[in-house]
Amino acid sequence: MGLGYLAAVIDNMGINVKILDCLIRGWDHEEKVDNLLIKVGLSDDEIEHYIREFKPDVVGINCQFSRQYKIYHHLLALVKRVHPGCITIAGGPHVTVCPTEILKDQNCDFILLGEADESFKTLIESLIQGTDLKSIDGLGWKSEGKVIQNEKSKWIADLDSIPFPAYHIMELERYFGLSASHGMRHKKRFSPIITSRGCPAKCTFCSAYKVWGNRYRLRSVDNVIEEMRLLRDRYGVEELMFEDDNVTANPKRAKELFSRMIEEGFNFIWDTPNGVGVWSMDEELLDLMKQSGCIKLNFPVESGSQYVLSNIIQKPLQLKKVVKLTEYCRKISLDYGMFLVIGMPGEKLEDMWKSIRFAAYCGCYSPHISVATPYPGTKLFKECGEKGYFVHEFNLDDLFIRSFIIRTPEWNEHDLRRILLKAYIYLTFRIMLENPVILFTRIIEKLRNPLLILQYLKRTL
Ligand code: B12
């Protein structure tokens, strides 16, 4: 989506722009990097061939995940080797939180921090016209071997002013039919959509504010509906994923949006893979969500201890409200999941158990449990560094979901592993006792796909 948005800006300038999504084009090509990492996507030869054919003047690289930093350096080197004259620009969440890590690379000419729809346009215009670049918002470059970084201070106030992602360049057909994208898909023709930018909550483990700023901004309902119409009418899309960081944070706008989706008769099915702002939800909103096609809701509850939520994670969420909302979801048969995070500094082992029991109490027997991982740019990262909680010296290679890289005076990484294992056993027993029908249905679902059974057994082991 990030590259889709930027391509739209450049396309509107009348410049020939292409997107090379190495992952989707090389979906069947896997290379083992090490015991923990498999690289999926186009081979170097294929990328080289593409660059030689297209001969771009500028190559922009989306550096989305800090864990993948090595790939970005590898690509920058490949581009400069194959086409030495071209200008390389890097952007995306990783660049935003670790700007120097990328910019110190001799093969990277420029970086842009955070939301870049406007700054990227300004940069390209300046490169074409040969005008001074030094005042571009969030721009980083090198001068006489020294890294220079402008602060990121401007975020787009009117999101309706941004063109829709360049779907005609993104080649959606390549993605249709994948069984998994961000979560499981149910229809062949699906698409992500983003109706707002940023999040009003400032959870201590999240770095979203670095990319999207401190203000939660909304597109108008009309503008979103127009994009939905385009996706449905031109591309035959039947399923949407709201990729907003928080699609329901403004309940008035959320109700307006879902009501319009019903009025328009779009008949999309949709879900919220990132979760939603629980504090802003009520039964009326849940009804509208269900009627407008929502098939699954994720509650990012994070902790079943109100103390941890309010004082450690700093999320504006009341657990009492979650209990009521999940009850109502069951009443209207709206499927829901729950995200939990365990292992925040200051949290006790008993708090972690409260989370696991809370999920079961809400009828959620397979919550998605993350182990707190300090990402650069977060308060969590700062705290772990200051208090010496890293198990070993921090390294970007540690940024994956089960790296267990912190220990605190209350617990260590082995305690977390143990609690996770016990949690899965506990939740399986609870579901057997309280809701064997759900367990049975899940087993039947899995039996339809033997690969899922193997994955489940592996995970359980
Ligand atoms: C969809 C998504 C996924 C999907 C990715 C699907 C895919 N192949 O792209 C899945 C589910 C696989 C996923 C997984 C993970 N994710 Co994720 N994910 C997202 C999410 C929710 C949306 C991405 C998106 O489409 N954004 C919308 C577009 C418009 O934004 P954008 O890409 O950032 O682009 C803008 C700017 O960044 C910039 N820009 C982007 N590219 C470029 C390039 C250039 C040249 C320039 C100039 C500018 C620029 O301009 C764009 C327009 O303004 C983001 C959160 C978010 N809101 O962005 C997290 C996010 C990217 N994920 C994150 C994380 C941590 C993960 C996981 C590690 C989670 C985990 N613990 O397992 C895994 C890692 C997966 C891996 N392979 O390593 C973090 C990354 C932080 C970091 N520093 O690494 C994010 C930022 C969430 C967060 N707030 O912390 N994720």
Side-chain angles (χ1 to χ4, degrees), residues 79 95 114 225 297 391:
V79 172
V95 168
I225 293 291
L297 200 58
V391 169

Side-chain angles (χ1 to χ4, degrees), residues 186-198:
H186 303 80
K187 299 277 185 190
K188 186 167 178 252
R189 306 180 81 83
F190 65 83
S191 173
I193 187 163
I194 301 169
T195 75
S196 62
R197 287 186 175 182

Side-chain angles (χ1 to χ4, degrees), residues 2 62 64-66 68 92 115-117 182 194 212 245 274 375:
N62 169 283
Q64 199 170 25
F65 304 112
S66 296
Q68 296 184 3
E115 177 179 73
D117 313 60
H182 197 177
I194 301 169
W212 303 118
D245 283 324
N274 292 326
Y375 273 79

Side-chain angles (χ1 to χ4, degrees), residues 1-3 5-6 21 23 59-68 89-94 96-97 111-112 114-117 120 123 156 181-183 194 197 205-209 211-212 243-245 274 370 373 375-376 399-401:
M1 289 297 272
L3 292 181
Y5 272 108
L6 299 186
D21 181 340
L23 176 60
V59 173
I61 297 182
N62 169 283
C63 306
Q64 199 170 25
F65 304 112
S66 296
R67 168 74 165 105
Q68 296 184 3
I89 308 175
H94 171 56
T96 307
V97 295
I111 64 163
L112 282 169
E115 177 179 73
D117 313 60
F120 191 56
L123 175 59
I156 301 161
S181 54
H182 197 177
I194 301 169
R197 287 186 175 182
F205 54 67
C206 184
S207 62
Y209 74 99
V211 176
W212 303 118
E243 284 295 348
D244 302 51
D245 283 324
N274 292 326
S370 298
T373 307
Y375 273 79
L399 292 176
F400 61 96
I401 193 162

Side-chain angles (χ1 to χ4, degrees), residues 152-155 197-202 206-217 379:
K152 171 86 193 151
S153 61
K154 293 185 193 148
W155 277 271
R197 287 186 175 182
C199 178
K202 299 283 169 284
C206 184
S207 62
Y209 74 99
K210 287 265 177 191
V211 176
W212 303 118
N214 282 318
R215 253 191 63 217
Y216 178 60
R217 293 156 297 146
K379 286 187 197 145

